[in-house]
Amino acid sequence: MYRTKVYYQDTDAGGVVYFANYLKLFEKSWFEYLLSNGISLPDWEQQGTFVLVKNVLLDLLDKAYYGEELEARTSVSDVKNAQFTLTHAVFRNGKAIARGETLMVCVDVKGKPRRIPEDFKKRLIACQTSSATMI
Amino acid sequence: MYRTKVYYQDTDAGGVVYFANYLKLFEKSWFEYLLSNGISLPDWEQQGTFVLVKNVLLDLLDKAYYGEELEARTSVSDVKNAQFTLTHAVFRNGKAIARGETLMVCVDVKGKPRRIPEDFKKRLIACQTSSATMI
Amino acid sequence: MYRTKVYYQDTDAGGVVYFANYLKLFEKSWFEYLLSNGISLPDWEQQGTFVLVKNVLLDLLDKAYYGEELEARTSVSDVKNAQFTLTHAVFRNGKAIARGETLMVCVDVKGKPRRIPEDFKKRLIACQTSSATMI
Amino acid sequence: MYRTKVYYQDTDAGGVVYFANYLKLFEKSWFEYLLSNGISLPDWEQQGTFVLVKNVLLDLLDKAYYGEELEARTSVSDVKNAQFTLTHAVFRNGKAIARGETLMVCVDVKGKPRRIPEDFKKRLIACQTSSATMI
């Protein structure tokens, strides 16, 4: 989960958040979400496991304006051996204004695909289970 | 079509182009592609027609590094009354390293959906036909 | 004051925060600093007063890496009739890693310079006084 | 020298180029300027010489709007043993709309300051001389 306001740097000449900036918000959201579930991406990098984005879906449902408060939330929707899927939503006053999905792959320091390390995977699965329970 | 190099500003600590920056490359590509087909987005804005991104798909096929030359190409894949779909690809040395699709909607100055103006639509359809012919 | 972590989006292929991104951090810092002192920039825009950046100084003292926590702080260092100067610093663990200054000018909706509105200016001067007192 | 248009991604809700984006334009300008003078920054990185920004000055003289064509130009204004100064300007229709200066330092792969390599320095000095001659 990541809360932020819309600053000038996030907007474009249309007066609203520039579409590509929702992906940046997703990144902040998944970083904090994973961290709060015991998965520190910077720590895993130190140990040689890197996480890359492979695929992105983004749906823009409404506009967001300068000064507004946004909240991005992430959940784990699928976990495989070497990749996992995250689902993201951005809310303003509790209403979703953007939704998205990112397929993440694990690679080693040379960029070669590798299995998700055991502890990392265990925690992802725990996230997934708890998200499912919340529904 | 838009040619660029990868500058520091496009990369991240992983040493490659940051995933969200492909969307920025798409924007430059569609702007130039439409312009070269007689559709100036800034001119249409002057006349009250704005084009927004509604949906995005992005597939990352390979990495791109600092200093490399990239070429982004756009084509029109679908044209409806109030929206159209653009298909994008980013190439390095003729090999696709990213692909994507953006669903674009026409809105008026207040952000309300409107039909694509006649001349704009005619040109989009001409683009679509010529893309189809190229295949 | 604005606290953030360094995310991938903030870094470049050198592995550290991209130099221009410190200005974005300054913007978030001055927005929040002014807001906490009763100056809401978005509200002033609604009333026809816009604040533009005219000049920037930036000194990079140290590097910041992915995952690190940063804190940006702003103070008011000068207030004139139509412009004011903000001083910024970015800290990591209490140590300054970047410093900067921005000269801000007030303009109307057409971009013409205008005097800082009375209430806005009064609050800026209060900020300046309290900063001075802290030293 | 670097020519570009102003795209949506460069602008903010004020309808003009976001101030920090001028620094990104400077980077593209110095990259291309140095390259055209025989200094390939990515090649020097391969050989263990990295160039960092240490100081920035930025003056915003006029606004730039969506769709406008800009040209950024760089020149070498000072060369020392381990650092050099670049001067930048951004023009629209031949009129400067932004000016700036960046102090660059050479570091090794670990980020430690190092002397500018001989060939690199020789070329910088040649740039400086030819800039001076142009005036």
Side-chain angles (χ1 to χ4, degrees), chain D residues 5-38:
Chain D
K5 278 180 205 146
V6 176
Y7 299 98
Y8 251 79
Q9 63 200 259
D10 305 310
T11 61
D12 63 28
V16 299
V17 171
Y18 181 68
F19 81 108
N21 288 338
Y22 285 101
L23 302 195
K24 293 188 168 186
L25 198 42
F26 289 173
E27 191 221 342
K28 290 178 175 176
S29 180
W30 81 56
F31 182 105
E32 296 300 337
Y33 172 74
L34 294 177
L35 187 63
S36 71
N37 284 283

Coordinates of all heavy atoms in Angstrom, one line a residue, chain D residues 5-38:
Chain D
K5 N 10.6 17.5 -29.7 CA 9.4 18.2 -29.5 C 9.0 18.1 -28.0 O 9.5 17.3 -27.3 CB 8.3 17.7 -30.3 CG 8.4 18.2 -31.8 CD 7.3 17.6 -32.6 CE 7.7 17.6 -34.1 NZ 7.2 16.5 -34.8
V6 N 8.1 19.0 -27.6 CA 7.5 18.8 -26.3 C 6.3 17.8 -26.4 O 5.3 18.1 -27.1 CB 7.0 20.2 -25.7 CG1 6.3 20.0 -24.4 CG2 8.1 21.2 -25.7
Y7 N 6.5 16.7 -25.7 CA 5.4 15.7 -25.6 C 4.6 15.9 -24.3 O 5.1 16.6 -23.4 CB 6.0 14.3 -25.8 CG 6.7 14.1 -27.1 CD1 8.1 14.3 -27.1 CD2 6.0 13.9 -28.2 CE1 8.8 14.2 -28.4 CE2 6.7 13.7 -29.5 CZ 8.1 13.9 -29.5 OH 8.7 13.8 -30.7
Y8 N 3.5 15.2 -24.2 CA 2.7 15.3 -23.0 C 3.6 14.9 -21.8 O 3.4 15.5 -20.7 CB 1.5 14.3 -23.1 CG 0.2 15.0 -23.2 CD1 -0.2 15.6 -24.4 CD2 -0.6 15.2 -22.1 CE1 -1.4 16.3 -24.5 CE2 -1.8 15.9 -22.2 CZ -2.2 16.4 -23.4 OH -3.4 17.1 -23.5
Q9 N 4.4 13.9 -21.9 CA 5.2 13.4 -20.8 C 6.2 14.5 -20.3 O 6.7 14.4 -19.2 CB 6.0 12.2 -21.3 CG 7.0 12.5 -22.4 CD 7.4 11.2 -23.1 OE1 8.5 10.7 -22.9 NE2 6.6 10.7 -24.0
D10 N 6.4 15.5 -21.1 CA 7.4 16.6 -20.6 C 6.6 17.7 -19.9 O 7.3 18.5 -19.2 CB 8.0 17.2 -21.9 CG 8.7 16.2 -22.7 OD1 9.5 15.4 -22.1 OD2 8.5 16.1 -23.9
T11 N 5.3 17.7 -20.0 CA 4.6 18.9 -19.5 C 4.0 18.6 -18.1 O 4.0 17.4 -17.6 CB 3.4 19.2 -20.4 OG1 2.5 18.0 -20.5 CG2 3.9 19.6 -21.8
D12 N 3.4 19.6 -17.5 CA 2.7 19.4 -16.2 C 1.4 20.1 -16.3 O 1.0 20.7 -17.3 CB 3.6 19.9 -15.0 CG 3.8 21.4 -15.1 OD1 3.1 22.2 -15.7 OD2 4.9 21.8 -14.6
A13 N 0.6 20.1 -15.2 CA -0.7 20.6 -15.2 C -0.8 22.1 -15.4 O -1.8 22.7 -15.7 CB -1.4 20.3 -13.9
G14 N 0.4 22.8 -15.4 CA 0.5 24.2 -15.7 C 0.4 24.4 -17.2 O 0.4 25.5 -17.7
G15 N 0.5 23.3 -18.0 CA 0.4 23.4 -19.4 C 1.7 23.5 -20.1 O 1.8 23.6 -21.3
V16 N 2.8 23.6 -19.3 CA 4.1 23.8 -19.9 C 5.1 22.7 -19.4 O 4.8 21.9 -18.6 CB 4.7 25.2 -19.4 CG1 3.7 26.3 -19.9 CG2 4.8 25.3 -17.9
V17 N 6.3 22.8 -20.0 CA 7.4 21.8 -19.6 C 7.7 21.9 -18.1 O 7.9 23.0 -17.6 CB 8.6 22.0 -20.5 CG1 9.8 21.2 -20.0 CG2 8.4 21.7 -21.9
Y18 N 7.6 20.8 -17.5 CA 7.9 20.7 -16.0 C 9.4 21.1 -15.8 O 10.3 20.6 -16.5 CB 7.6 19.3 -15.5 CG 7.9 19.1 -14.0 CD1 7.1 19.8 -13.1 CD2 8.9 18.3 -13.6 CE1 7.3 19.6 -11.7 CE2 9.1 18.1 -12.2 CZ 8.3 18.8 -11.3 OH 8.5 18.6 -10.0
F19 N 9.6 22.0 -14.8 CA 11.0 22.5 -14.7 C 12.1 21.5 -14.6 O 13.2 21.7 -15.2 CB 11.0 23.5 -13.5 CG 11.2 22.8 -12.1 CD1 12.4 22.9 -11.4 CD2 10.2 22.1 -11.5 CE1 12.6 22.3 -10.2 CE2 10.3 21.5 -10.3 CZ 11.5 21.6 -9.6
A20 N 11.9 20.4 -13.9 CA 13.0 19.4 -13.8 C 13.3 18.7 -15.1 O 14.4 18.2 -15.3 CB 12.6 18.4 -12.7
N21 N 12.3 18.8 -16.0 CA 12.6 18.1 -17.3 C 13.6 18.8 -18.2 O 14.1 18.2 -19.1 CB 11.3 17.9 -18.0 CG 10.4 16.8 -17.4 OD1 10.9 16.0 -16.7 ND2 9.1 16.9 -17.6
Y22 N 13.9 20.0 -17.8 CA 15.0 20.7 -18.6 C 16.3 20.0 -18.3 O 17.2 20.0 -19.1 CB 15.0 22.2 -18.2 CG 13.9 23.0 -18.9 CD1 12.8 23.4 -18.2 CD2 14.0 23.3 -20.3 CE1 11.7 24.0 -18.9 CE2 13.0 24.0 -20.9 CZ 11.9 24.3 -20.2 OH 10.8 25.0 -20.8
L23 N 16.5 19.5 -17.1 CA 17.7 18.8 -16.8 C 17.8 17.5 -17.6 O 18.9 17.1 -18.0 CB 17.8 18.5 -15.3 CG 17.7 19.6 -14.3 CD1 18.2 19.2 -12.9 CD2 18.5 20.8 -14.7
K24 N 16.7 16.9 -17.9 CA 16.7 15.7 -18.7 C 17.1 16.1 -20.1 O 17.8 15.3 -20.8 CB 15.4 15.0 -18.7 CG 15.0 14.4 -17.3 CD 13.7 13.6 -17.5 CE 13.5 12.7 -16.2 NZ 12.4 11.8 -16.4
L25 N 16.6 17.2 -20.6 CA 17.0 17.7 -21.9 C 18.5 18.0 -21.9 O 19.2 17.8 -22.9 CB 16.1 18.9 -22.2 CG 16.0 19.4 -23.6 CD1 15.8 18.3 -24.6 CD2 14.8 20.4 -23.7
F26 N 19.0 18.6 -20.9 CA 20.4 18.9 -20.8 C 21.2 17.6 -20.9 O 22.2 17.5 -21.6 CB 20.8 19.5 -19.4 CG 20.4 21.0 -19.2 CD1 20.5 21.6 -18.0 CD2 19.8 21.7 -20.3 CE1 20.1 22.9 -17.8 CE2 19.4 23.0 -20.1 CZ 19.5 23.6 -18.8
E27 N 20.8 16.5 -20.3 CA 21.5 15.3 -20.3 C 21.6 14.8 -21.8 O 22.6 14.4 -22.3 CB 20.9 14.2 -19.5 CG 21.8 13.0 -19.3 CD 21.2 11.6 -19.4 OE1 19.9 11.5 -19.2 OE2 21.9 10.6 -19.7
K28 N 20.5 14.8 -22.5 CA 20.5 14.4 -23.9 C 21.4 15.2 -24.7 O 22.1 14.8 -25.6 CB 19.0 14.4 -24.4 CG 18.2 13.3 -23.8 CD 16.7 13.4 -24.3 CE 15.9 12.2 -23.7 NZ 14.5 12.3 -24.1
S29 N 21.4 16.5 -24.4 CA 22.2 17.5 -25.2 C 23.7 17.2 -24.9 O 24.5 17.2 -25.9 CB 21.8 18.9 -24.8 OG 22.6 19.8 -25.5
W30 N 24.1 17.0 -23.7 CA 25.5 16.8 -23.4 C 26.0 15.4 -24.0 O 27.1 15.3 -24.5 CB 25.9 17.1 -22.0 CG 25.7 16.0 -20.9 CD1 26.2 14.7 -20.9 CD2 25.0 16.1 -19.7 NE1 25.8 14.1 -19.8 CE2 25.1 14.9 -19.0 CE3 24.3 17.2 -19.1 CZ2 24.5 14.7 -17.7 CZ3 23.8 17.0 -17.8 CH2 23.9 15.7 -17.2
F31 N 25.1 14.4 -23.8 CA 25.5 13.1 -24.4 C 25.8 13.2 -25.9 O 26.8 12.7 -26.3 CB 24.3 12.2 -24.1 CG 24.5 10.8 -24.6 CD1 24.7 9.8 -23.7 CD2 24.5 10.4 -25.9 CE1 25.0 8.4 -24.1 CE2 24.7 9.1 -26.4 CZ 24.9 8.1 -25.4
E32 N 24.9 13.9 -26.6 CA 25.1 14.0 -28.1 C 26.2 14.9 -28.4 O 26.9 14.7 -29.4 CB 23.7 14.4 -28.7 CG 22.6 13.4 -28.5 CD 22.9 12.0 -29.1 OE1 23.7 11.9 -30.1 OE2 22.3 11.1 -28.7
Y33 N 26.3 16.0 -27.7 CA 27.4 16.9 -27.9 C 28.8 16.3 -27.8 O 29.6 16.4 -28.6 CB 27.3 18.2 -27.0 CG 28.4 19.1 -27.1 CD1 28.6 19.9 -28.2 CD2 29.4 19.1 -26.1 CE1 29.6 20.8 -28.3 CE2 30.5 20.0 -26.2 CZ 30.6 20.8 -27.3 OH 31.6 21.7 -27.4
L34 N 28.9 15.6 -26.6 CA 30.2 14.9 -26.4 C 30.5 13.8 -27.4 O 31.6 13.7 -28.0 CB 30.2 14.4 -24.9 CG 30.2 15.4 -23.8 CD1 30.2 14.8 -22.5 CD2 31.4 16.4 -23.9
L35 N 29.4 13.1 -27.7 CA 29.6 12.0 -28.7 C 30.0 12.6 -30.1 O 30.9 12.0 -30.7 CB 28.2 11.3 -28.9 CG 28.3 10.0 -29.8 CD1 29.2 9.0 -29.2 CD2 26.9 9.5 -29.9
S36 N 29.4 13.7 -30.5 CA 29.8 14.3 -31.8 C 31.2 14.9 -31.7 O 31.8 15.2 -32.8 CB 28.8 15.3 -32.2 OG 28.9 16.5 -31.3
N37 N 31.8 15.0 -30.5 CA 33.2 15.4 -30.4 C 34.1 14.3 -30.0 O 35.2 14.5 -29.4 CB 33.2 16.6 -29.4 CG 32.7 17.9 -30.0 OD1 33.4 18.5 -30.8 ND2 31.5 18.2 -29.7
G38 N 33.7 13.1 -30.2 CA 34.5 11.9 -30.0 C 34.6 11.3 -28.6 O 35.4 10.5 -28.3

